[in-house]
Amino acid sequence: MRRVRKVALGLGIVAGLVCSHLAWAHPGRTNSSGCHNERATGGYHCHGGGGGGSRGWSAPPVAETPTRLQVIAIPRARVWINGAFVGMSPTPAVRVDGTKVRVLLEHAALGRHETTATLDPGGTTALTLRW
């Protein structure tokens, strides 16, 4: 009876270790600091891995605030930012790479209008364009 209890206890411990690892896992590659962006929320978080010499969990680096752009076209138009269609204006604030962006507007009656803008890094810019 004791042997059965020891085997059951051992199997329970192994199962607990395997299940706890699976419970914390989620998809997404990490950078050299063990961090990655969340596409659904636009957030950024770390898993404590990475290239540091220490083992185990470490304090995550300070996350950079993403640069975002919202385009408000008057009158309403279809909007592309850096060649990617983002929707009708006013657009939601979308994350952009870098601080210089190319904005293309398309309107059924007015045609196309293109402009470039320089954004503040780490902030949200509301760009209003009038034709």
Side-chain angles (χ1 to χ4, degrees), residues 48-129:
S54 64
R55 295 185 60 146
W57 291 93
S58 61
V62 176
E64 290 184 28
T65 304
T67 302
R68 296 183 181 275
L69 174 64
Q70 178 187 26
V71 177
I72 304 162
I74 301 172
R76 286 181 52 119
R78 294 172 55 117
V79 179
W80 283 263
I81 298 174
N82 291 335
F85 179 70
V86 294
M88 293 292 291
S89 67
T91 67
V94 295
R95 185 178 185 149
V96 294
D97 293 328
T99 57
K100 189 161 185 148
V101 296
R102 183 174 52 92
V103 178
L104 174 67
L105 304 177
E106 184 180 68
H107 188 273
L110 299 174
R112 292 177 158 218
H113 176 71
E114 188 173 336
T115 188
T116 57
T118 303
L119 311 176
D120 293 328
T124 299
T125 301
L127 180 63
T128 302
L129 300 171

Side-chain angles (χ1 to χ4, degrees), residues 21-30 36 38 45-47:
H21 174 72
L22 294 175
W24 290 102
H26 66 278
R29 291 184 176 180
T30 57
H36 65 108
E38 297 175 68
H45 73 264
C46 302
H47 293 273

